[in-house]
Amino acid sequence: MSIKLVTGMTLVFTAVLALCGSLTCHAGPEFFFTSGISSATGDVLGTDIAGNPKDWKSVHSQVNGSSDANGSLRFGNAKGANWIFLWSRAAGDTKTYKVVPTFNIYKEFAGKVVLEYGLDPVYHHTQTPWPNGFWVSNDSSWCPQLDVSADASGNMILNKKGKSFIVPSDMKKLYIRVRLADDANPGFVHLNSGAVKFDAVSDEAADAVVPTSVSGGVIEAGADPTGKHDSTAAIQASLDKGGLVYLPSGIYKISRTLMIRKSYTDIRGEAGTILKVAEKTPITGISVSDAEGVWRLHDINISNISLVNDPSNYKAGENLQGTRGIELNGVVDCRVQNCSTQNFQHEGIAILYCKNVVVDACNIQGARHGITINGNYEGGRYGNWNIRIANCKTSDTFDTGIVVGFYSYYITLANNIVERSRCHGIDIFNVSDVTLTGNIVRNWNAPKMDDLSQVPQSVGIFVHPDWGITTFVPTRNIILTGNIVIYDQPLDAGITPNCIEVAGNCDSVVITGNTVIGAFRGFVLREQPYDQYFNARLDKRVQEKTPMSPQNVVFSNNVVRGQTGEYLQVSSGKTITSVISGNIFAPAKTGVMTINVPVNNSNVSITGNTFQDGHITADWLPRGAAWGLNSVRMFADTSASEEFVK
């Protein structure tokens, strides 16, 4: 059998047949042979003691691959049986190729045979070569159906119409596969001859080629991985089919929101896969339709996708059309992993009235809020349940890094990094059963961002009921443990950020084992007074214009140091219940603390703490709080303390 390579070179498989002879290739292991053109040739084919091939070469068979007496390659007897041909780019070759493969086959039985191709990602060499390792095929990365044979037996040509595809200049390997798509009757498929035509083309000529698809149909449907042409319709057509929608590395321009309308939809990219929103087109990147009702769509996965908004669609401080990078509405059992968003107007990732969602290893830059978990203002019907945000990073948000709000239950934020938010780092309100562990919040209340001035005061981790919508629904059962909250930027006059604050109608908040460094105030516990939004609140069950105070707050075993203002502030005109114990407070030289609660109508216990504060004298006692077994020491002029003073 010979396969011709039309660029002045010819793939001749005489050597293949000499090696094969009457040998029947083994099912399962990857079986490669040498060719005259591949730059990835290796040693002469051999077998290990079990009869398996020892090394990979440039032609490969799975399931009953062999040669026959006439010199053709054959396979059969099982669905998925195939032959694969590998071309590797020679050193120094940087050309873009238009490729047309053609094969003459003979089938001994009725059944469909598929001709397809794949580029670099279709195989991972996960271990060492044989006999100690193997190759693993990524079936989702194969480009399906350049052609499909007729169902009948007999002679036929695969790709008789000469469909072409592009091998970009940065792709090092090309695989062409001839595969049995149906269960086979006894008999074989014979590859009698074939040609693979390679034409070097310019980038402009490559743009004119309609590529053939990877799994999911996006390129076959017309998606352009160069970013020059709009790919919205092609990607949406694949999404409408559901299942796996695979986007190989490239830039895909979109001008409308990509809508997920089916359960079991898996949008999967790879390193270098970018969805780029078109200029002057303020849209959400990917969203989920809730047209069929809340909690109807399920098992949706989005991974390895970077969503980039055009600068013309983004202005810090404005909502525009409230665009989001990824928006999950009313879905169940979903995952967003290894994705990034850049400069969407309202959120990078929004999770709205969903159940059982994991967001992992995502990077959000820009937007009003980096990641938002939000139920429904009506509350009684919908909410968020069982949401986990882990190993993510948000930065440069013009409001808040991560928001957990409104009727969200059983939420976990773990090992995230939130930095350079203009207002709050992490904001928690009108929710219950929320755990924050191992997070780092750094330099919220960031200096001037674009045309926005620095806000006077905001909070690293803020636990409270929202005052713009309702204060009736309490924020309860909140745990903050093992987090680091650090503000190490200089503070201009009038800029007074708080590290951790609990305010208003909150119940059962445990803050333990955290490290709280810098800023103006370390820990603030206070009532929430009547505010300007009272008359506009949706919940009219709250009629009294009176403050509400936190209850059952534990602040224990934390390290609080380096504040330039108050390291501890407890302030309420109403009853407040709290235990502040076992903490180390090491303020800067200017640090003080304020305890101001009703003398006869509160239960604030401040006990077992270490205060490194020269402002506390022997006759000083906090007003209204139980004070006991605390250690008070003079401020130590340590290098760390001096650093914060500076």
Side-chain angles (χ1 to χ4, degrees):
M1 176 193 179
S2 67
I3 294 183
K4 295 182 178 180
L5 176 66
V6 184
T7 55
M9 299 176 285
T10 304
L11 282 172
V12 180
F13 281 86
T14 306
V16 173
L17 302 182
L19 286 168
C20 259
S22 60
L23 176 67
T24 298
C25 302
H26 303 277
E30 316 289 81
F31 206 165
F32 287 85
F33 297 91
T34 56
S35 74
I37 189 58
S38 174
S39 63
T41 58
D43 297 333
V44 176
L45 180 71
T47 58
D48 64 15
I49 193 169
N52 293 318
K54 289 174 60 177
D55 204 353
W56 67 272
K57 311 299 174 188
S58 61
V59 182
H60 156 122
S61 175
Q62 289 175 313
V63 188
N64 294 327
S66 64
S67 63
D68 60 20
N70 297 320
S72 67
L73 301 177
R74 66 185 184 186
F75 60 85
N77 302 108
K79 183 176 182 179
N82 62 68
W83 275 94
I84 300 172
F85 303 88
L86 166 65
W87 170 80
S88 295
R89 188 181 294 276
D93 180 3
T94 59
K95 295 177 181 177
T96 296
Y97 290 105
K98 182 176 75 172
V99 180
V100 180
T102 307
F103 284 84
N104 296 300
I105 67 171
Y106 174 78
K107 294 189 296 176
E108 297 178 358
F109 53 85
K112 291 184 176 65
V113 173
V114 172
L115 174 63
E116 53 201 344
Y117 78 97
L119 301 174
D120 286 353
V122 300
Y123 276 104
H124 285 318
H125 198 177
T126 58
Q127 298 182 28
T128 57
W130 282 97
N132 299 315
F134 54 89
W135 283 54
V136 175
S137 176
N138 293 324
D139 287 336
S140 64
S141 300
W142 282 94
C143 308
Q145 302 183 9
L146 262 173
D147 195 14
V148 181
S149 74
D151 198 36
S153 61
N155 289 302
M156 53 198 67
I157 299 174
L158 291 176
N159 200 23
K160 186 176 182 179
K161 296 181 179 180
K163 290 183 179 180
S164 63
F165 58 87
I166 292 296
V167 178
S169 59
D170 60 345
M171 287 294 181
K172 305 301 183 184
K173 289 181 170 61
L174 164 66
Y175 300 83
I176 296 174
R177 180 163 72 173
V178 182
R179 174 176 58 87
L180 182 59
D182 294 333
D183 292 330
N185 296 317
F188 288 93
V189 175
H190 300 257
L191 304 182
N192 295 321
S193 63
V196 183
K197 181 180 179 182
F198 283 64
D199 285 330
V201 296
S202 64
D203 290 340
E204 290 76 13
D207 287 343
V209 175
V210 178
T212 310
S213 175
V214 295
S215 179
V218 295
I219 298 180
E220 185 176 45
D224 171 23
T226 71
K228 295 180 180 179
H229 306 295
D230 196 308
S231 296
T232 308
I235 299 173
Q236 187 62 61
S238 298
L239 285 173
D240 289 343
K241 296 176 183 178
L244 176 65
V245 178
Y246 179 79
L247 284 78
S249 179
I251 299 174
Y252 301 87
K253 183 191 295 184
I254 59 172
S255 57
R256 297 190 309 277
T257 299
L258 298 174
M259 296 299 299
I260 299 172
R261 298 186 174 97
K262 291 188 176 182
S263 298
Y264 302 109
T265 296
D266 184 354
I267 306 177
R268 189 182 309 173
E270 60 184 20
T273 297
I274 298 172
L275 291 175
K276 176 72 163 59
V277 175
E279 182 181 7
K280 296 181 180 179
T281 310
I283 60 169
T284 290
I286 300 174
S287 186
V288 176
S289 172
D290 58 3
E292 296 186 9
V294 175
W295 302 336
R296 295 292 183 89
L297 293 184
H298 55 88
D299 294 280
I300 292 168
N301 296 303
I302 304 171
S303 62
N304 303 315
I305 302 289
S306 295
L307 296 104
V308 178
N309 202 7
D310 188 86
S312 65
N313 303 321
Y314 179 76
K315 182 174 178 57
E318 295 183 4
N319 282 336
L320 294 178
Q321 296 181 12
T323 61
R324 293 160 169 149
I326 298 173
E327 179 183 70
L328 300 182
N329 299 312
V331 295
V332 181
D333 298 328
C334 298
R335 189 177 189 92
V336 180
Q337 187 170 25
N338 294 323
C339 290
S340 66
T341 73
Q342 181 176 334
N343 290 342
F344 285 85
Q345 197 66 35
H346 208 273
E347 278 104 2
I349 298 176
I351 302 168
L352 311 175
Y353 43 95
C354 299
K355 290 183 178 181
N356 309 333
V357 173
V358 174
V359 177
D360 182 66
C362 292
N363 190 346
I364 311 301
Q365 189 272 328
R368 178 183 179 184
H369 302 149
I371 300 173
T372 288
I373 304 168
N374 224 329
N376 185 289
Y377 293 153
E378 298 178 16
R381 293 188 297 164
Y382 310 129
N384 280 299
W385 301 81
N386 303 321
I387 312 296
R388 180 178 175 86
I389 311 295
N391 309 305
C392 295
K393 180 180 179 180
T394 72
S395 61
D396 303 304
T397 54
F398 65 82
D399 193 325
T400 300
I402 300 178
V403 174
V404 184
F406 294 122
Y407 310 103
S408 294
Y409 311 95
Y410 305 105
I411 311 299
T412 300
L413 307 182
N415 305 317
N416 302 289
I417 297 174
V418 176
E419 61 182 12
R420 296 192 308 275
S421 54
R422 180 169 172 264
C423 295
H424 308 312
I426 299 175
D427 197 8
I428 303 169
F429 53 90
N430 301 99
V431 298
S432 68
D433 299 283
V434 176
T435 299
L436 275 63
T437 179
N439 302 283
I440 299 174
V441 179
R442 188 183 187 102
N443 293 335
W444 69 100
N445 213 136
K448 182 177 179 180
M449 184 178 296
D450 293 342
D451 295 330
L452 302 176
S453 61
Q454 188 173 14
V455 300
Q457 183 182 104
S458 60
V459 186
I461 300 178
F462 195 9
V463 181
H464 65 110
D466 185 87
W467 45 74
I469 303 299
T470 178
T471 58
F472 181 81
V473 177
T475 301
R476 59 172 48 146
N477 301 337
I478 311 298
I479 298 175
L480 279 59
T481 179
N483 303 285
I484 298 174
V485 184
I486 177 171
Y487 194 104
D488 56 5
Q489 297 292 311
L491 293 176
D492 294 336
I495 306 300
T496 59
N498 299 333
C499 288
I500 298 177
E501 180 174 329
V502 180
N505 189 15
C506 299
D507 189 1
S508 300
V509 180
V510 176
I511 304 169
T512 183
N514 303 279
T515 301
V516 179
I517 302 173
F520 188 78
R521 296 182 184 89
F523 175 56
V524 176
L525 180 64
R526 65 176 179 85
E527 69 181 12
Q528 180 172 290
Y530 162 72
D531 58 79
Q532 60 180 314
Y533 299 104
F534 182 88
N535 291 325
R537 288 179 186 141
L538 299 182
D539 195 329
K540 298 303 182 183
R541 289 176 289 180
V542 179
Q543 296 300 328
E544 290 185 82
K545 297 183 179 181
T546 55
M548 288 172 286
S549 296
Q551 303 298 319
N552 305 312
V553 177
V554 175
F555 187 81
S556 66
N557 302 311
N558 304 283
V559 174
V560 183
R561 63 182 177 88
Q563 287 71 46
T564 58
E566 296 171 308
Y567 54 87
L568 175 63
Q569 181 189 89
V570 182
S571 178
S572 175
K574 297 187 67 176
T575 302
I576 188 169
T577 304
S578 177
V579 173
I580 300 172
S581 67
N583 303 286
I584 297 174
F585 294 98
K589 285 184 176 180
T590 56
V592 294
M593 69 174 172
T594 298
I595 310 296
N596 187 4
V597 294
V599 175
N600 299 318
N601 196 24
S602 284
N603 184 13
V604 177
S605 174
I606 302 176
T607 180
N609 302 281
T610 297
F611 292 91
Q612 188 173 286
D613 186 353
H615 299 86
I616 300 178
T617 60
D619 59 353
W620 185 92
L621 287 176
R623 179 178 178 270
W627 174 273
L629 301 177
N630 297 289
S631 174
V632 179
R633 302 178 181 179
M634 294 297 292
F635 183 86
D637 293 325
T638 64
S639 59
S641 300
E642 289 297 326
E643 176 185 347
F644 284 109
V645 172
K646 294 176 183 178

